[in-house]
Amino acid sequence: MSSVFWIALVLIALVRVSTRPDRFITWIAVFACFPAAAVISVGSGPSSIGLSPYYVLAAWAAVSCVRRPRALVAFLLRPPQIYLLLFVLYAVVGAVVLPLLFSGTGVYSPRLGIDSQVSRQTPLILSPSQIGQAGYLLLNYGVYLFIAQRGVVGHRHLVTALYVAAAVSLWQLLSLVTPLPFAQDIVASNQAYAYLGNQQILGVPRINGSFLEVSMASAFFAVMYAHFARTFLDTGRGAVPAVVALLATAFSLSTTGTVVIALVTVALIGTALLRLVRQGRVRRQDVILVLVLAGVVLGAASVSQYLFELTVNKFGTSSYSNRGASNAYALDLLLDTFGLGVGLGSNRPSSFAAYLLSNLGIVPSVLLGALIVSLLWRAQPRVMAWTLGAYLGAKLLSLPDLNDYWLWVLLAQCQLYRPPSPAVSWTGGALAVRR
């Protein structure tokens, strides 16, 4: 049943993007919210293989890019695109060469949990896992190239993806308090991944919805909050998506989302105050934003025991210690491999930075860092710098994977983004259109 559903949906998507390539960004954004789904799944357990809807559409994008070789080459040779091209080439070659070069070195196997490997690591070997990660990287790069070459106008695709993901999370929540069944067999049909949909904290369920685990769900929703709250501050639009994203983050009960929300909220308040000082006027969205943020603070105070558990108490848990140990070991691997790394997909620490350094080494990490800094520096309007920056912050906390769907979508979107038209603003008691 689940395969039929996803096959039908993917076929519809392929027909739509073939006739309207501008719709690609919306379909890929929606599919990026279902990392646990599979169009086809072979086998069972950790050794199984599943093809996600995202990668089917990614393959179409990669082929489409290759069919326009002149435009592709011209785009790739422009800085900073050359940095990412070199990064991808090194990562793909290194996925095969480096595991052979450093065979037998102890690593945190991506197939096993971090906690079980703290005292005894897994010997490194070249396996289908590294080759698969290299293939996934090429497909993600295809998504990046397709979006980046065409640019993105507005954020309708983000709104669509947010509402779809929030609807699935609400469905899961309702299934816990009502007889309504949750279609986990559709949401989590990929047997290669463990869907952690029954986690709790202090007896309260943690909602991960369409995502594999709560940290992934909370990172996505927190970043959508960052995007739409900043959009509202700039244009007066995006209030409803920002509130939806905030509520969805709260129901995930994840440390990652909590920290990102806190940092973004402080940054929003600082930005609003700085604008007030510079411009000497109060706008309607400034007033509304302050009221909403005040409500967030009051709401946080009412659930302080959960926030304390997610933040302060987190530092004393074995989980936090083990993840810190995996990151420290990743740096040891970097030294043991003379700065080369052990190959893409070979080692799995807890942080994205540790993942890059231990798997790919110093040079590729610098290349990717150069691209990211360039995108953040040049991103106009600044809302996209906020969005990408917030997601990178979440990845530094708990999302180590390089083949992270949303990482590549957001990297591409920073190339060209136009915000929605400004709304009516309020200043000095009078209405005026911001231009």
Side-chain angles (χ1 to χ4, degrees):
M1 176 62 182
S2 61
S3 295
V4 173
F5 173 83
W6 287 113
I7 289 174
L9 198 59
V10 166
L11 289 176
I12 293 173
L14 290 173
V15 171
R16 290 291 292 163
V17 299
S18 296
T19 56
R20 291 286 303 275
D22 58 304
R23 301 296 185 187
F24 173 83
I25 182 67
T26 300
W27 281 102
I28 202 70
V30 170
F31 287 159
C33 294
F34 292 88
V39 177
I40 299 174
S41 190
V42 180
S44 61
S47 60
S48 63
I49 300 174
L51 180 62
S52 74
Y54 173 93
Y55 280 127
V56 175
L57 209 56
W60 178 89
V63 172
S64 298
C65 290
V66 173
R67 291 173 61 183
R68 302 172 60 198
R70 287 189 177 181
L72 179 61
V73 172
F75 179 79
L76 291 176
L77 295 181
R78 293 186 306 180
Q81 304 306 326
I82 189 66
Y83 304 146
L84 189 58
L85 174 61
L86 295 174
F87 170 84
V88 171
L89 291 176
Y90 183 99
V92 170
V93 173
V96 177
V97 174
L98 294 174
L100 295 175
L101 186 61
F102 299 108
S103 178
T105 302
V107 296
Y108 279 72
S109 172
R111 289 284 185 176
L112 305 175
I114 288 178
D115 297 339
S116 62
Q117 299 182 87
V118 172
S119 58
R120 184 176 182 180
Q121 289 74 47
T122 304
L124 173 63
I125 59 171
L126 176 62
S127 69
S129 177
Q130 289 102 329
I131 298 174
Q133 288 297 311
Y136 291 149
L137 178 58
L138 290 174
L139 291 176
N140 278 311
Y141 190 43
V143 170
Y144 170 88
L145 292 175
F146 189 90
I147 298 174
Q149 289 184 82
R150 287 157 178 79
V152 179
V153 179
H155 56 208
R156 182 175 299 178
H157 60 288
L158 295 180
V159 176
T160 303
L162 169 62
Y163 286 166
V164 169
V168 176
S169 292
L170 178 60
W171 187 2
Q172 183 186 18
L173 177 63
L174 291 176
S175 72
L176 298 174
V177 296
T178 70
L180 179 69
F182 180 60
Q184 183 172 321
D185 58 328
I186 293 179
V187 172
S189 56
N190 195 334
Q191 299 299 316
Y193 301 117
Y195 179 79
L196 305 178
N198 56 355
Q199 294 182 311
Q200 296 184 351
I201 183 169
L202 298 178
V204 178
R206 308 170 75 184
I207 305 300
N208 58 319
S210 62
F211 295 88
L212 284 168
E213 54 181 341
V214 291
S215 61
M216 295 177 66
S218 68
F220 169 76
F221 289 123
V223 169
M224 292 300 102
Y225 165 75
H227 178 86
F228 289 108
R230 177 59 193 263
T231 298
F232 178 77
L233 185 63
D234 291 342
T235 68
R237 298 178 183 272
V240 173
V243 172
V244 170
L246 183 62
L247 292 174
T249 307
F251 281 112
S252 69
L253 289 174
S254 170
T255 303
T256 301
T258 302
V259 171
V260 172
I261 288 289
L263 294 176
V264 168
T265 300
V266 171
L268 285 170
I269 294 174
T271 302
L273 291 176
L274 184 60
R275 286 184 177 179
L276 177 61
V277 171
R278 286 180 174 178
Q279 301 175 4
R281 64 189 180 95
V282 179
R283 303 172 305 163
R284 181 184 64 176
Q285 56 259 45
D286 295 331
V287 175
I288 296 175
L289 184 64
V290 169
L291 293 176
V292 171
L293 294 180
V296 171
V297 173
L298 293 175
S302 66
V303 292
S304 57
Q305 59 175 331
Y306 299 106
L307 293 178
F308 192 82
E309 185 70 22
L310 290 172
T311 54
V312 178
N313 282 356
K314 183 76 172 181
F315 294 106
T317 63
S318 59
S319 173
Y320 178 82
S321 299
N322 292 341
R323 275 148 184 75
S326 71
N327 292 331
Y329 187 79
L331 298 180
D332 291 337
L333 279 179
L334 178 67
L335 297 176
D336 294 341
T337 57
F338 311 103
L340 296 176
V342 291
L344 177 63
S346 297
N347 184 58
R348 184 181 176 82
S350 177
S351 171
F352 183 53
Y355 181 95
L356 287 177
L357 290 170
S358 63
N359 284 285
L360 303 181
I362 295 174
V363 174
S365 299
V366 171
L367 289 171
L368 183 61
L371 173 78
I372 290 173
V373 169
S374 176
L375 293 179
L376 292 176
W377 182 263
R378 297 163 54 188
Q380 292 295 334
R382 300 307 298 164
V383 64
M384 282 315 304
W386 276 58
T387 309
L388 178 59
Y391 199 69
L392 290 172
K395 289 187 68 61
L396 290 176
L397 290 173
S398 64
L399 301 176
D401 290 340
L402 177 61
N403 286 312
D404 179 333
Y405 304 165
W406 276 104
L407 172 65
W408 292 93
V409 171
L410 294 178
L411 283 174
Q413 190 171 350
C414 270
Q415 302 291 331
L416 174 63
Y417 174 82
R418 299 175 191 170
S421 301
V424 175
S425 65
W426 178 69
T427 171
L431 291 175
V433 177
R434 286 168 72 275
R435 297 188 183 278

